[in-house]
Every structure is written in C-alpha cells, then in structure tokens.
Amino acid sequence: MYAARMSRLSSESAFFVLAKAKALEAEGRDIVHLEIGEPDFNTPQNVKEAAIRAIRDGYTHYTPAAGIPAARKAIADYVSRTRGVAFAPNEVVITPGAKPILFYAILALIEAGDEVILPNPGFPTYESMVRFAGGKPVPISLREELGFRLDTKELETLLGPRTKLIILNSPHNPTGGALSEDDLAAIAEMALDRKILILSDEIYSRIVYEGDHHSVVSLQGMKDQVILLDGFSKAFAMTGWRLGFGVMNASLAEKITLLMINSNSCTAAFTQMAGIEALEGPQDAVAMMVAELNLRRSFIVQGLNQIPGVTCCRPQGAFYAFPNIKSFGIPSRVLAERILMEGGVAVLAGSDFGSAGEGYLRISYANSLENLEVALRRIRDVLTGIA
Ligand SMILES: Cc1ncc(COP(=O)(O)O)c(C=O)c1O
C-alpha cells in the first residue's frame, strides 16, 4: 500500500520516549524528563514581543519562499559576523526549523548509490534521510577516547569515488563532543581535494562552554563547498516556533527554495520577524542560558561519575551528557527502559543514535538543577540495584 521509500525512513526515539513518559505521567507517575533535546528556558521576552508586534503589523501572509528579504539579510550578516566569511542574502534559505535543511539538502544532492559520511553515534535524521533519498550511509565512529571526536585518518579511509557528502555536527548531538580546529582543517583539505560537499550542522553553535565555536565554512576555499545549517531552536529556546536556516552557494539555495515552494511554501512571516530581533537584539538571554547550562553540565557530569560503574566524559558543547554504562553488561535500550520504568527518569539509549552508541545513555541536562539532582539519585538507585 505504501511507497517503498517509506520503509527506508526511520523515527527519532526522543519523540517515542517522550510519548511513553507522558503516558506514565498521565497514570500518575512522577517522571523527570531528560530525553527530549530542548532548552527548558523561556524564549527571550524581546523576541516574543517582536513576534506579537509583527502579527499586529500584518506579517500574517505568505512570504517569498526563501524568506523575507530583511530576515535573509539579518541571517547573512549574522553568519558573516560569526563565521568570518561574507555571505549575501541570496545564499540564505529560511525554513520552519533547521531540520528541513537536512531534508532538502539531501534530497537535492543525493542520488541512488551516492555515499554520505555521517557520525556514529549521530542525529538519527541523517541516516534516515540518506536512505530515503536512496543514498548509502557510511558511518564514521566518534571515539570516547578522543572526547567523541572522529579520527581524521579513519575518515580518509572511508572516502571513495562515490562519496558525495560529509555530514559534520559540532557541537554534537548526542555526545556533546566538538571537533577541534585541526580536525576541521584536515577534513576541509580532504573535501577540497576530492570536491566533496560538507553539510555542517551547527545548530548548537551558540552552546559552547570552552573556547569558541569553530566552523568548517570559515576555512580557506570552503565557502562554496559547505551547506551550513543553523537556527533558533536551541540558541534562543525557540524549538516550538519552527525557525531555522541553511546558508549555501546561491545555486544550491535556488534548488532548496524550489523544494520549499513545493512543500511549505514559506516559513511563518511573524516568526521570521522575531528571528531578526533574536539575532540583532540584546544577547544577554543567550549568555544567561549558556552560563546556567554550564553549571548543570558540571553538576550532571560530576554526579554521573560518582555512580559506581558509570564514567562520563565532559561535554564541550550542546546540552547532552553521554555516560558510558558498558560495565553493566546490559544493552543500553534495556537499561534506559529500566531507568524509566523503575526510576521514573526518561533518558535515551546511546544505541538509538547508531551502533557506536551502544554502551552509553544520552542525557539531556537542559533541566533544572533540582530535577537533575532527583534524576541522579534515581538513576543511582536503579543502577546500584543492577550492579
Ligand atoms: C543535531 C541536530 N540537528 C538539527 C536539529 C533540528 O533542529 P530544529 O528544531 O531547528 O529543526 C536538532 C534538534 O534536535 C539536532 O539535535
């Protein structure tokens, strides 16, 4: 009954576990939510006001498919400023959330048999979309001993005549790892030599705890070879607004606009106006969020490392901890299920993000310190019962 391509599309366990945790709550259970990847902060007030003003001012109609010119310009300026490379508004496509950029870029570029390098563990949509488009996912393992970075020498061995695209995600979901400037330089050199495109998912670019965010697009000669994905969901606590963007060469931007025309038509007008305020208005709310997340990072990493049998690397960015639970000898899905059912804490299995995630849990620490404290106690109780 369904088209064969549908069997190649997979889901995201975060939404599945969230639904299950909510069902337990409806039965009266007390659940701490550490499964879904979204900041618990409120969208900054100035951004909300800008959206309300925009609705009052009549931004309630269709906009050009790639975005309102002033919003495309604000994004081009922002990316030029933060990545140190000049971008023009016609190199920007605004989408409802950043996720459609993955969908569209892969649909626009990948043909049957094309190979796409993607991180393992990694954001599940990458592999799902590559398969959907008929491409072949080629996973590269992220290694705990490298702070969950990839090994660039290993990457080189995976590149072949069919490699069309490399997907990078730094800072990274689900591990919180980040690629170093040396990693990016080595990857850029390989991509330039072989004319391989890079899709650089930088949705966590504003949530970096040590040093600055580094982008592969900033490197010499890379501008036209990189599709940069970023957005407002994580940086400005705007997950429900659905506002993201891609920045790429103007020719690809036209193709992606065509996909927008055939799917969404455009991104909601007033959210685009709010996006201008988010980028150009005061940034103190972002700084406050990152400072608070940094406290939570220290708290959760320290707490996890104090649980016998658990070790946890210090994440460099995003708001995920990826503790190693291999010593329990239990598949991570089973362990995550027991932590939910017995402990009332919703976490994700590392294996939901790819085979190299087996033996880990993904914990989103974008939750209050009080809730994290309760969660740590409950996780400890479940795990000591197993050990
Ligand atoms: C790595 C990564 N890329 C992209 C996205 C999508 O972001 P958006 O909510 O803006 O579509 C997410 C959201 O969880 C993510 O973790």
Side-chain angles (χ1 to χ4, degrees):
M1 171 184 176
Y2 298 110
R5 72 177 79 87
M6 287 309 293
S7 66
R8 302 198 298 268
L9 211 49
S10 45
S11 186
E12 240 189 271
S13 70
F15 289 101
F16 176 74
V17 175
L18 177 68
K20 190 161 176 180
K22 291 268 181 213
L24 289 172
E25 272 173 336
E27 287 168 15
R29 289 280 308 273
D30 175 40
I31 306 291
V32 183
H33 291 274
L34 305 184
E35 76 281 45
I36 194 86
E38 71 173 341
D40 60 323
F41 305 103
N42 229 320
T43 302
Q45 195 59 27
N46 61 315
V47 178
K48 288 191 200 169
E49 295 297 341
I52 293 164
R53 213 166 39 241
I55 292 177
R56 290 213 177 94
D57 290 348
Y59 284 92
T60 52
H61 296 275
Y62 289 132
T63 78
I68 295 171
R72 291 175 88 188
K73 178 166 185 327
I75 291 168
D77 291 349
Y78 169 73
V79 174
S80 305
R81 204 162 63 234
T82 50
R83 281 26 177 230
V85 193
F87 285 98
N90 69 343
E91 294 171 307
V92 174
V93 184
I94 302 177
T95 45
K99 232 181 199 176
I101 293 294
L102 288 175
F103 205 93
Y104 298 152
I106 291 169
L107 277 186
L109 294 167
I110 300 306
E111 297 209 80
D114 283 343
E115 294 181 4
V116 180
I117 308 278
L118 38 83
N120 178 16
F123 189 47
T125 300
Y126 305 147
E127 181 171 341
S128 174
M129 273 312 301
V130 170
R131 286 194 193 284
F132 190 64
K136 181 176 169 216
V138 179
I140 174 144
S141 294
L142 304 185
R143 306 204 171 274
E144 184 179 6
E145 62 276 18
L146 299 176
F148 292 112
R149 289 160 41 234
L150 53 78
D151 177 343
T152 52
K153 296 250 174 338
E154 186 182 345
L155 173 64
E156 192 154 24
T157 66
L158 298 176
L159 303 179
R162 293 301 311 256
T163 312
K164 182 88 182 266
L165 184 69
I166 298 173
I167 301 181
L168 300 179
N169 175 212
S170 178
H172 180 252
N173 175 11
T175 66
L179 295 171
S180 69
E181 284 183 279
D182 286 348
D183 295 334
L184 294 173
I187 296 167
E189 195 181 324
M190 288 179 226
L192 276 173
D193 282 352
R194 297 168 176 80
K195 298 194 169 36
I196 298 169
L197 296 165
I198 295 184
L199 199 168
S200 186
D201 181 343
E202 302 181 20
I203 194 81
Y204 297 100
S205 61
R206 297 292 291 270
I207 307 173
V208 173
Y209 304 107
E210 279 147 45
D212 296 322
H213 169 67
H214 301 292
S215 172
V216 70
V217 84
S218 309
L219 299 171
Q220 186 78 27
M222 289 308 289
K223 186 187 154 179
D224 283 340
Q225 229 161 295
V226 172
I227 302 128
L228 187 153
L229 172 156
D230 202 342
F232 298 78
S233 297
K234 318 285 174 173
F236 300 96
M238 290 174 72
T239 46
W241 292 63
R242 310 313 298 135
L243 187 63
F245 56 85
V247 182
M248 64 210 80
N249 65 67
S251 156
L252 179 58
E254 276 177 27
K255 300 292 178 214
I256 292 202
T257 303
L258 207 50
L259 286 162
M260 266 298 278
I261 290 171
N262 280 278
S263 52
N264 284 294
S265 294
C266 67
T267 304
F270 48 90
T271 64
Q272 295 186 51
M273 296 310 286
I276 300 178
E277 172 63 23
L279 297 180
E280 297 188 342
Q283 300 295 301
D284 42 331
V286 180
M288 186 279 292
M289 280 191 265
V290 175
E292 178 63 27
L293 286 171
N294 197 9
L295 290 178
R296 299 172 185 182
R297 172 179 73 134
S298 298
F299 184 75
I300 195 89
V301 170
Q302 195 180 21
L304 286 166
N305 277 313
Q306 280 168 359
I307 301 176
V310 178
T311 56
C312 184
C313 222
R314 197 171 167 80
Q316 303 294 299
F319 37 68
Y320 306 113
F322 207 60
N324 181 323
I325 43 87
K326 289 180 184 170
S327 72
F328 295 92
I330 296 177
S332 57
R333 268 203 191 146
V334 177
L335 205 57
E337 172 82 5
R338 288 190 64 173
I339 290 172
L340 175 61
M341 299 309 290
E342 295 167 27
V345 182
V347 298
L348 300 183
S351 56
D352 290 341
F353 296 84
S355 56
E358 183 52 274
Y360 300 87
L361 297 174
R362 192 198 76 166
I363 293 185
S364 168
Y365 55 84
N367 205 324
S368 66
L369 281 173
E370 298 78 64
N371 283 342
L372 293 179
E373 192 172 1
V374 173
L376 278 171
R377 189 164 17 87
R378 292 182 182 178
I379 294 172
R380 171 192 277 270
D381 287 349
V382 174
L383 294 183
T384 32
I386 293 170

